[in-house]
Amino acid sequence: MGSKKEEVRRKHIRLHMEGALTARDKVGVQDFVLLDAYTSESAFLENLRKRFRENLIYTYIGTLLVSVNPYQELGIYTSSQMELYQGVNFFELPPHVYAIADNAYRMMCSELNNHFILISGESGAGKTEASKKILQYLAVTCPMTESLQIARDRLLLSIPVLEAFGNAKTLRNDNSSRFGKYMDIQFDFQGVPVGGHIISYLIEKSRVVYQNHGERNFHIFYQLLAGGKSERLASLGLERDPQLYKFLSQGHCARESPSNDRSDWETVYSAFSVIGFTEADLENLFGIIASVLHLGNICFKGDKQGCASIPDTHEIKWIAKLLGVCPAVLLEALTHRKIEAKTEEVICPLTVELSVYARDAMAKAVYGRTFTWLVNKINSSLVNKDFTQKTVIGLLDIYGFEVFDKNGFEQFCINYCNEKLQQLLIERTLKAEQAEYESEGIEWEPVQYFNNKIICDLVEERHRGIISILDEECIRPGPATDLSFLEKLEEKVGKHAHFQTRKLAGPKGRKRIGWLEFCLLHYAGEVTYCTKGFLEKNNDLLYRHLKEVLCSSKNSILRECFLVAELENRKRPPTVGTQFKNSLSSLLEILISKEPSYIRCIKPNERKEPSKFDDFLISHQIKYLGLMEHLRVRRAGFAYRRKYEHFLQRYKSLCPDTWPHWHGPPGEGVERLIKYIGYQPQDYKLGKTKIFIRFPRTLFATEDAFEFSKHQLVSRIQATYKGCLGRREYVRKRQAATKLEAHWRGVLARKEIKRRKWAVQIIRRFIKGFINRDKPLCPDNEEFLLLVRKNYILNLRYHVPKNVLDKSWLRPPGILENASNLLRRMCTRNLVRKYCRGISAERKAMMQQKAVTSGLFRGKKEGYAESLSQPFASSRLGVSTSSLRDGILVIHVSPADKQQKGDTILQCEHIFEVATKLAMLIKREHVVRVVQGSLQFCVSPGREGTIVFETGEEDQVYKDKNGQLRVVSAGKKT
């Protein structure tokens, strides 16, 4: 029965091994070594695209890290991420720059040997950011003491200072490093960072005097103008507008980011104090920066003989003041050249063109040597005074392979550097592979690869290399030109298989090579270089007259940069190309003595847009970074190798013999495991301490089976553990409930006792108060009386009278008689006041009339009581008269009073007086009505009469035949 179950389990595992996980198809493999089509560039590119689409910017080629710049924040550089990668096996977590840093640090601590991390790539690919992340990781994760905090801060803050003086905005990158940088971080025996050392390579001095359209000079110039205090700028003779300075305005984008310049200035300025710059150092340093800007604004004018002069000496005075030199001597040095013969010195005037060259050469020399001084100053602050043996991790942030439409001397040096580093990478990788195979007892199969030593020799070979030919052309007597240099190259190296010029190329090749150009076939492809400016940039000469001026400077920094000993040394200084070749040789010696780690940075598009993947541009970088070549070397033998302990620890659940514990030697356990899974002999080799798997498909199948087995194990473990937790929780809750119930019942019982005691006391006090209710206020009846008062007051609010006539009132207890009477009077008074406030003026007058009537007739005349309910009218009378001279006055009585008699007709001589007094008596002005012609009057109820008014010869009153009363008035007497 058991054997059948085991057979079914084995079948499930094998079936699952035949399928691939959907997630792997979606996001690609995290190590290019595991690609089946590892020789296909399209498969390489597709895997990179899949991962970039999912914001997985890191991928391995063995131990080499490929990084694609996302141009957006991904949230993968947090402190929690740092903790996640700390002390973890290299391949246990997804690829990350932290894994490279942690692996180098752990190997250094465990093996006590030195390491370096080489970071390369195009401008804008993220090299500087990668080096920053490594430094931050080491600063956060390494053990630290308070006394070493300063060293760590100086190490971190040296980065923004070097970026300010050595980085600039280019068409490809807003923060492009225009110099190579190698930084050693020193650690003591405990792994604590205690110091550091920085070496710089080939700073792009030509950028000081010229920038292409859309590019800027070094950041420090703009930062000083944007963030420096007004007093400092005034002392340096500077204005805030960068457009005022020729050396800053040639790229036409000087004002592109003033806000960033201002904030970056604050960072850099605060870093100066931490690194250890004194105020005098800063004053001299800013004086040099300002003098370079003033140099750019010097204008030359030629006279009739063609000799240069400076009409406006304003800038000369400022430069002389800032550098501490004599203005007249500086003026002469910029317009004249001192030529030394054996016994005498001759001063020759310069043309305008040569004066401009001298000015630019001075600016480049001053800035270039100041940058070297700055690096040395930082190094002096990072030096560790403890001379015990240290281990180091080196960070090499170097320019990647460059191919532009026009490639000059700088690109030639940069690509030569990349050739040497590619040679080192391939040799170290092959050497490491071969050493591992030999130590494990695995047969080594020779790997065919392109050895670029032939190209390195073409460039650097003594007497026959391009650099030697360039140096010879620079020092030979006679007029040497860029064209003569090209001709010399054709003569000396024209037959080299990796060198071509227009003259040497075939008919097809001539179309793409100019007359002043030569083509080198690098490991990454063909690059065409224009020889224009090669001699000038290689010479990089500063006229002796200008050098004497700078050696006499009172500026302490310049005195360190330009030593008087240089003037005494008649030997020609080495050329830029030779200096670079020598420094590169020194760098390679440093790197060869250390264990390597590699990071290759890729720029996904030219516009710095997130999520945009430019296939052509990335293919170009894959080729120039030598990634396919490196992958081919890594995949020449076995795709995957791992120690027995680690392999068995991860996959032991796939075999019942090794699960859950294997008690024998790890090698035997691995052999038992792979036989159970079903590995074929051609799929693997067993070394002394490691298993070697040849094909990625075999590893993927094992990984898929492990995922399947892991889910089953996890489900089983979860079920068992959940059951255990459930039972444990049930017992705990039952015990807790029992204890809680017991305590709660006790609490309730105690509460009930307290409540009953309280109730008994209340009832007792109430009864006692009721018994003593009629006694004077005392402690025995105080609470009872308070309760009675409260209840009476609360009940009274529902029985308050609503109006003055309502005589009802709640009967009070005996002890509240007085209070009740007082409240009743207050209530009555309030109702009366409220009633009085609510009556109108007419109503008030009528009531006053009623009061007078009461005084006259109450108890004296019958019918008075019935009249009380009848309101008095405002007026029951009306008065009418004619408009003529008659004395007739009609008093109209209200219709309600016409039951007994009608209106009254009066004739009087003083009609005006009578009518007026009637109106005043009634207190109504409009009671008198004056009519014309006739008026109607009431004779008796239901009967009306008419009075006709007219004029005549004499006054008379008579009744006409129609029954109308006629009143004749005599006319107006004349």
Side-chain angles (χ1 to χ4, degrees):
M1 188 70 178
S3 60
K4 286 184 178 181
K5 287 185 178 179
E6 188 58 39
E7 187 62 33
V8 171
R9 183 173 179 272
R10 185 180 299 185
K11 185 178 179 181
H12 276 299
I13 290 176
R14 286 179 177 172
L15 286 173
H16 200 72
M17 285 172 66
E18 294 174 2
L21 290 176
T22 306
R24 187 181 302 125
D25 295 334
K26 183 180 179 182
V27 303
V29 295
Q30 64 183 22
D31 192 337
F32 285 110
V33 172
L34 300 178
L35 279 176
D36 280 331
Y38 67 92
T39 58
S40 168
E41 187 176 328
S42 60
F44 190 101
L45 190 66
E46 179 61 25
N47 189 66
L48 206 60
R49 182 190 295 107
K50 285 179 180 179
R51 295 183 65 77
F52 183 73
R53 194 185 300 129
E54 299 296 323
N55 287 329
L56 301 172
I57 62 172
Y58 295 119
T59 313
Y60 289 135
I61 305 179
T63 56
L64 181 145
L65 181 68
V66 179
S67 170
V68 184
N69 194 337
Y71 291 123
Q72 61 179 323
E73 287 293 332
L74 297 179
I76 58 175
Y77 303 108
T78 60
S79 56
S80 59
Q81 283 284 95
M82 293 184 184
E83 293 175 5
L84 186 65
Y85 280 86
Q86 192 171 357
V88 178
N89 188 276
F90 188 75
F91 292 105
E92 284 188 16
L93 291 174
H96 202 291
V97 69
Y98 291 160
I100 295 288
D102 185 73
N103 186 61
Y105 177 73
R106 284 190 300 106
M107 294 295 289
M108 179 202 70
C109 292
S110 61
E111 300 176 6
L112 295 179
N113 55 7
N114 298 327
H115 284 252
F116 77 89
I117 301 173
L118 170 58
I119 308 171
S120 62
E122 270 196 24
S123 177
K127 301 186 299 297
T128 303
E129 285 302 312
S131 64
K132 285 182 185 177
K133 300 304 180 190
I134 291 172
L135 278 175
Q136 289 169 2
Y137 178 84
L138 295 175
V140 171
T141 59
C142 293
M144 185 59 59
T145 61
E146 291 185 10
S147 59
L148 297 173
Q149 187 77 22
I150 296 175
R152 189 193 74 169
D153 292 343
R154 287 177 175 175
L155 201 62
L156 291 175
L157 290 174
S158 65
I159 297 174
V161 174
L162 289 175
E163 285 185 358
F165 284 84
N167 289 26
K169 172 183 165 35
T170 65
L171 292 173
R172 297 189 172 193
N173 187 3
D174 291 343
N175 188 33
S176 175
S177 297
R178 308 316 300 161
F179 71 105
K181 177 181 64 180
Y182 176 76
M183 174 185 286
D184 263 342
I185 309 163
Q186 300 171 348
F187 298 85
D188 65 9
F189 70 97
Q190 294 178 322
V192 178
V194 293
H197 186 78
I198 299 170
I199 304 174
S200 64
Y201 300 95
L202 193 67
I203 186 167
E204 188 186 17
K205 294 187 290 186
S206 59
R207 181 169 294 274
V208 175
V209 299
Y210 177 74
Q211 307 93 43
N212 292 322
H213 185 79
E215 297 189 349
R216 300 207 310 173
N217 210 322
F218 293 103
H219 293 326
I220 187 62
F221 294 108
Y222 307 94
Q223 291 172 2
L224 175 60
L225 296 182
K229 292 183 179 179
S230 300
E231 299 81 6
R232 186 183 293 278
L233 294 183
S235 67
L236 299 174
L238 299 177
E239 301 288 339
R240 289 206 183 273
D241 187 3
Q243 300 285 356
L244 300 175
Y245 303 98
K246 181 185 176 184
F247 283 171
L248 302 184
S249 58
Q250 297 172 86
H252 303 286
C253 60
R255 294 180 176 176
E256 191 151 306
S257 57
S259 60
N260 289 345
D261 291 332
R262 195 175 300 113
S263 61
D264 290 345
W265 166 260
E266 294 173 1
T267 303
V268 171
Y269 193 78
S270 60
F272 279 132
S273 59
V274 175
I275 293 173
F277 283 72
T278 64
E279 192 59 38
D281 289 335
L282 294 179
E283 186 177 347
N284 290 324
L285 182 61
F286 298 145
I288 292 172
I289 300 301
S291 67
V292 171
L293 296 181
H294 287 301
L295 270 172
N297 284 1
I298 294 177
C299 297
F300 298 95
K301 184 178 181 182
D303 58 13
K304 294 179 180 179
Q305 288 77 28
C307 299
S309 63
I310 302 175
D312 187 0
T313 60
H314 174 74
E315 304 291 350
I316 293 289
K317 293 176 182 177
W318 270 110
I319 297 169
K321 177 185 176 183
L322 295 171
L323 299 185
V325 298
C326 176
V329 175
L330 177 62
L331 179 65
E332 183 185 48
L334 287 170
T335 55
H336 295 75
R337 183 179 180 184
K338 184 182 289 186
I339 301 175
E340 293 187 354
K342 290 183 179 180
T343 57
E344 60 181 353
E345 290 182 347
V346 179
I347 296 178
C348 302
L350 298 175
T351 63
V352 172
E353 183 179 354
L354 288 176
S355 292
V356 170
Y357 171 82
R359 178 200 65 187
D360 292 352
M362 178 180 173
K364 290 188 288 184
V366 166
Y367 192 86
R369 296 200 188 191
T370 301
F371 184 79
T372 304
W373 174 89
L374 182 71
V375 173
N376 293 334
K377 179 72 175 177
I378 293 173
N379 284 336
S380 65
S381 72
L382 296 177
V383 69
N384 184 256
K385 303 296 172 50
D386 180 10
F387 296 104
T388 56
Q389 187 176 0
K390 309 289 189 307
T391 52
V392 302
I393 293 179
L395 279 179
L396 179 58
D397 177 3
I398 202 79
Y399 9 66
F401 203 92
E402 290 189 351
V403 183
F404 301 138
D405 294 334
K406 288 290 183 182
N407 301 292
F409 180 72
E410 291 85 359
Q411 282 69 47
F412 173 76
C413 293
I414 288 170
N415 293 343
Y416 162 56
C417 174
N418 277 270
E419 284 286 357
K420 296 290 287 183
L421 294 174
Q422 176 68 8
Q423 184 184 21
L424 175 69
L425 170 63
I426 297 298
E427 287 179 354
R428 294 295 294 270
T429 304
L430 275 175
K431 185 178 178 182
E433 287 281 294
Q434 187 173 0
E436 185 175 23
Y437 277 51
E438 290 176 354
S439 66
E440 291 294 326
I442 305 294
E443 184 181 354
W444 170 254
E445 301 172 6
V447 178
Q448 297 296 323
Y449 70 98
F450 173 65
N451 190 346
N452 63 342
K453 184 178 184 301
I454 187 172
I455 302 173
C456 296
D457 291 341
L458 171 63
V459 175
E460 68 184 4
E461 191 174 7
R462 290 191 67 184
H463 306 303
R464 291 190 298 178
I466 294 176
I467 292 178
S468 296
I469 297 170
L470 180 61
D471 287 350
E472 289 176 11
E473 197 66 15
C474 287
I475 63 175
R476 77 173 177 85
T481 63
D482 296 323
L483 182 59
S484 67
F485 164 61
L486 185 62
E487 292 170 350
K488 200 77 170 180
L489 287 178
E490 291 174 339
E491 178 187 338
K492 293 285 187 73
V493 297
K495 295 181 181 180
H496 199 284
H498 293 81
F499 177 86
Q500 273 190 337
T501 63
R502 185 182 181 92
K503 181 179 176 181
L504 300 174
K508 293 183 179 179
R510 289 174 185 170
K511 295 180 181 179
R512 51 188 173 77
I513 304 177
W515 287 108
L516 279 176
E517 295 177 345
F518 67 92
C519 178
L520 289 184
L521 183 59
H522 289 279
Y523 75 91
E526 290 186 359
V527 182
T528 302
Y529 300 97
C530 180
T531 59
K532 185 177 180 181
F534 261 60
L535 294 179
E536 177 187 331
K537 291 176 180 177
N538 188 51
N539 265 324
D540 195 27
L541 290 177
L542 182 65
Y543 292 148
R544 181 178 179 82
H545 204 167
L546 280 172
K547 195 176 287 187
E548 289 176 354
V549 173
L550 294 174
C551 286
S552 65
S553 171
K554 295 178 182 178
N555 187 300
S556 61
I557 296 177
L558 284 187
R559 282 204 307 273
E560 293 182 39
C561 295
F562 294 90
L563 301 175
V564 179
E566 289 186 45
L567 301 175
E568 300 172 357
N569 186 4
R570 301 295 179 177
K571 192 176 179 181
R572 183 183 179 89
T575 61
V576 172
T578 301
Q579 289 180 44
F580 185 70
K581 183 178 75 170
N582 295 338
S583 62
L584 188 56
S585 298
S586 302
L587 173 63
L588 290 175
E589 289 178 8
I590 294 172
L591 299 184
I592 288 171
S593 66
K594 295 178 171 62
E595 294 298 320
S597 297
Y598 304 99
I599 299 176
R600 292 288 191 256
C601 299
I602 292 177
K603 179 167 62 174
N605 60 78
E606 291 285 7
R607 297 185 178 181
K608 307 162 192 167
E609 296 178 2
S611 305
K612 185 176 181 182
F613 193 88
D614 188 333
D615 288 18
F616 179 77
L617 177 65
I618 294 174
S619 298
H620 177 84
Q621 294 173 81
I622 290 171
K623 185 178 180 183
Y624 287 167
L625 290 171
L627 298 181
M628 294 300 299
E629 189 74 14
H630 184 77
L631 175 58
R632 221 163 52 77
V633 171
R634 290 288 302 186
R635 274 294 305 270
F638 294 88
Y640 178 83
R641 71 287 313 264
R642 204 160 189 193
K643 284 187 176 293
Y644 290 142
E645 294 85 351
H646 296 157
F647 189 86
L648 186 62
Q649 178 65 28
R650 182 167 182 81
Y651 300 116
K652 64 182 179 179
S653 61
L654 300 181
C655 175
D657 295 338
T658 57
W659 177 258
H661 300 292
W662 172 257
H663 299 289
E668 294 180 10
V670 170
E671 190 173 2
R672 185 80 58 88
L673 171 63
I674 60 178
K675 284 182 180 179
Y676 180 82
I677 294 175
Y679 277 20
Q680 299 300 315
Q682 67 271 17
D683 292 343
Y684 70 95
K685 289 284 185 184
L686 295 176
K688 295 178 181 178
T689 62
K690 294 181 181 178
I691 177 174
F692 289 74
I693 298 176
R694 188 178 297 277
F695 304 111
R697 190 177 300 278
T698 306
L699 178 66
F700 290 155
T702 307
E703 186 65 25
D704 295 341
F706 169 66
E707 289 294 326
F708 176 76
S709 175
K710 185 169 65 175
H711 288 306
Q712 287 185 324
L713 287 172
V714 167
S715 299
R716 193 181 307 164
I717 292 170
Q718 282 180 339
T720 305
Y721 186 63
K722 285 178 180 177
C724 178
L725 288 180
R727 285 189 295 275
R728 192 182 302 167
E729 184 68 11
Y730 169 73
V731 172
R732 188 187 65 80
K733 286 182 178 179
R734 187 177 62 184
Q735 291 175 348
T738 304
K739 189 179 293 186
L740 187 63
E741 286 174 354
H743 282 284
W744 183 242
R745 283 194 293 269
V747 169
L748 292 179
R750 285 188 290 274
K751 281 187 177 180
E752 182 64 17
I753 290 172
K754 286 183 179 179
R755 190 183 68 79
R756 290 184 179 183
K757 285 182 178 179
W758 174 82
V760 167
Q761 290 172 358
I762 293 298
I763 295 171
R764 186 180 294 163
R765 286 200 300 268
F766 183 84
I767 295 172
K768 195 173 183 179
F770 180 78
I771 294 171
N772 299 296
R773 65 185 182 279
D774 295 328
K775 294 181 181 181
L777 187 64
C778 63
D780 291 338
N781 62 6
E782 183 179 7
E783 291 185 7
F784 177 80
L785 295 180
L786 286 174
L787 178 64
V788 169
R789 289 171 187 169
K790 179 180 177 181
N791 289 337
Y792 176 72
I793 295 298
L794 291 176
N795 290 331
L796 183 60
R797 61 180 174 173
Y798 300 113
H799 299 85
V800 175
K802 300 294 186 294
N803 53 60
V804 180
L805 300 178
D806 187 359
K807 301 300 181 180
S808 64
W809 189 257
L810 183 66
R811 183 178 178 182
I815 59 173
L816 294 178
E817 285 288 348
N818 294 334
S820 176
N821 293 334
L822 179 61
L823 288 174
R824 188 170 188 177
R825 287 198 299 273
M826 289 172 64
C827 180
T828 303
R829 192 177 302 167
N830 183 55
L831 290 174
V832 169
R833 184 183 295 110
K834 187 176 179 181
Y835 176 79
C836 292
R837 287 179 179 176
I839 61 176
S840 64
E842 293 181 357
R843 178 76 173 167
K844 185 177 181 180
M846 185 191 72
M847 293 181 72
Q848 289 174 346
Q849 292 174 5
K850 286 279 186 179
V852 173
T853 304
S854 175
L856 293 174
F857 299 107
R858 185 177 181 181
K860 300 176 181 179
K861 186 173 176 63
E862 293 182 359
Y864 169 74
E866 290 79 2
S867 69
L868 289 176
S869 60
Q870 299 174 0
F872 289 175
S874 58
S875 175
R876 297 181 183 272
L877 297 179
V879 179
S880 298
T881 184
S882 74
S883 60
L884 301 180
R885 296 176 61 89
D886 57 76
I888 299 299
L889 183 71
V890 180
I891 298 175
H892 302 280
V893 181
S894 176
D897 299 329
K898 292 180 179 178
Q899 296 178 359
Q900 298 184 11
K901 56 182 178 180
D903 296 340
T904 304
I905 302 173
L906 301 176
Q907 184 176 17
C908 59
E909 293 182 1
H910 305 285
I911 188 169
F912 296 106
E913 182 180 351
V914 172
T916 301
K917 288 185 176 181
L918 281 173
M920 291 177 65
L921 182 64
I922 300 173
K923 295 182 180 180
R924 290 180 60 189
E925 295 180 1
H926 302 292
V927 73
V928 178
R929 185 165 62 96
V930 179
V931 299
Q932 293 183 355
S934 64
L935 65 83
Q936 300 292 325
F937 67 97
C938 181
V939 178
S940 61
R943 181 182 174 192
E944 291 185 351
T946 302
I947 301 177
V948 178
F949 297 94
E950 56 186 7
T951 57
E953 293 180 355
E954 58 180 350
D955 296 333
Q956 56 180 328
V957 177
Y958 64 94
K959 192 174 184 179
D960 63 7
K961 60 183 180 180
N962 294 328
Q964 295 177 340
L965 184 66
R966 287 187 175 271
V967 177
V968 181
S969 300
K972 188 177 181 181
K973 295 182 180 181
T974 57

